[in-house]
Amino acid sequence: MRNFGLIGNPLSHSFSKKYFTNKFKKESILDANYELFPIKEIDEIKLLLQEQKDLLGLNVTIPYKQAVIPYLDELDPTAKAVGAVNTIKISTLENVQVQLKGYNTDVIGFRQSLKPFLAKEHERALIFGNGGASKAVSYVLDQLNIPHFIVSRNPTGVKAISYSELDEASVSRFQLLINCTPLGMSPNLDQMPPIPMDAVGKKHLAYDLVYNPLETKFLAMAKAKGALTVNGLSMLQLQAEAAWKIWNEEK
Ligand code: NAP
């Protein structure tokens, strides 16, 4: 059996096990298994690897996407540039784990899910939140030459601004709005980042990385103002498929 899994904390609402279990069934992949490994601190990854010697790959989620990096032997250049890892490929030699390599498939998932919706008016962006996902999103926007600011409660660096600096004039000039905070995620359905939504209009594209619920308060308000809206489901599926491809590639 080829074993894969997810580390993070908490994992009670995780999508990945359901996604991979369904995928294995649907595609008659009979030799693979995907399990959840909730760990209370990142150092527990050492024990996990000792106990699960046949693990070939792991996904990494909140809060370990950055903390896991010192435990890896190598980083793929994209993961290195982003500074966050959500996929680990474990190479084995005669059943001994010999190398852990980190990747960031959030980058692939976000880029591929955004591109079909991008139009020429989406030439400047605002990213809300400055965590692991925000770093992957900012990396993709840099690749696509879309200048952007990161709106944060604690802005640091030249790209970062605070919520109090956001006014209607700036929101109307930045027509790509991307929520990278967990605000609005179930069960906190009535939350959203404090954005002056009256400035949102038909030319805006509002993207929410949250996928549960499929329409967050942020997306519902943007839609009511005439904006095009995209939720995080497609990104989630694309990043999972990208991880599967990495785990199955020959070295
Ligand atoms: P994270 O590392 O915990 O970062 C979230 C950021 O949101 C924080 O750094 C913080 O930024 C901001 N934030 C948190 N609580 C807030 C609050 N009460 N008010 C305002 N801002 C707040 O999480 P992440 O990994 O980046 O994930 C963020 C969201 O994206 C989660 O909901 C996650 O499920 C989703 N996600 C979806 C996908 C997908 O494939 N669709 C992939 C990755 C993540 P500041 O401190 O700078 O304000």
Side-chain angles (χ1 to χ4, degrees):
M1 193 54 87
R2 297 187 304 138
N3 288 317
F4 304 91
L6 173 68
I7 58 168
N9 184 32
L11 295 181
S12 45
H13 290 96
S14 160
F15 146 98
S16 301
K17 182 172 162 67
K18 227 182 291 166
Y19 182 83
F20 280 109
T21 305
N22 282 341
K23 175 182 170 69
F24 298 157
K25 209 188 246 173
K26 221 171 51 201
E27 298 177 20
S28 302
I29 300 170
L30 302 176
D31 66 342
N33 184 41
Y34 193 99
E35 290 298 332
L36 299 180
F37 300 111
I39 57 176
K40 287 197 202 72
E41 47 187 87
I42 188 58
D43 206 47
E44 290 178 24
I45 191 177
K46 291 192 210 156
L47 190 61
L48 174 73
L49 291 168
Q50 278 175 36
E51 287 176 353
Q52 307 282 335
K53 290 202 185 312
D54 48 4
L55 266 178
L56 295 178
L58 283 171
N59 286 127
V60 183
T61 189
I62 296 175
Y64 302 129
K65 287 185 183 181
Q66 294 163 74
V68 76
I69 291 175
Y71 295 83
L72 306 177
D73 301 301
E74 194 182 343
L75 284 185
D76 154 83
T78 301
K80 193 170 186 178
V82 173
V85 161
N86 77 332
T87 300
I88 302 171
K89 183 178 170 104
I90 304 169
S91 304
T92 58
L93 195 64
E94 291 168 7
N95 287 337
V96 178
Q97 291 159 345
V98 288
Q99 199 214 30
L100 303 184
K101 181 168 177 179
Y103 297 82
N104 191 310
T105 67
D106 283 340
V107 165
I108 300 167
F110 178 68
R111 189 175 50 227
Q112 289 182 358
S113 61
L114 174 71
K115 270 190 135 172
F117 299 96
L118 270 185
K120 66 173 184 331
E121 59 264 30
H122 307 130
E123 56 185 11
R124 278 186 292 269
L126 293 174
I127 301 175
F128 303 99
N130 195 16
S134 165
K135 290 184 173 57
V137 166
S138 174
Y139 177 83
V140 171
L141 296 184
D142 281 339
Q143 280 187 327
L144 297 173
N145 292 317
I146 299 178
H148 54 280
F149 283 111
I150 296 163
V151 190
S152 164
R153 292 167 301 175
N154 303 297
T156 47
V158 284
K159 277 187 188 169
I161 61 169
S162 67
Y163 285 96
S164 59
E165 289 173 80
L166 267 191
D167 55 14
E168 291 195 8
S170 52
V171 171
S172 62
R173 282 194 307 114
F174 287 73
Q175 289 178 333
L176 175 55
L177 306 176
I178 307 164
N179 179 31
C180 293
T181 78
L183 297 173
M185 191 163 78
S186 179
N188 302 311
L189 302 179
D190 60 347
Q191 295 183 349
M192 62 176 281
I195 306 166
M197 294 298 286
D198 278 344
V200 174
K202 285 195 178 66
K203 288 188 174 171
H204 277 87
L205 172 57
Y207 189 123
D208 201 326
L209 267 65
V210 172
Y211 49 86
N212 177 21
L214 292 175
E215 187 172 84
T216 55
K217 184 176 178 188
F218 166 59
L219 290 190
M221 285 190 75
K223 194 198 256 177
K225 295 282 177 192
L228 185 61
T229 60
V230 183
N231 65 42
L233 187 62
S234 167
M235 171 175 173
L236 194 66
Q237 292 166 343
L238 288 162
Q239 64 77 26
E241 284 302 320
W244 181 244
K245 192 167 166 230
I246 287 166
W247 293 332
N248 285 282
E249 266 164 6
E250 290 298 322
K251 263 205 108 178

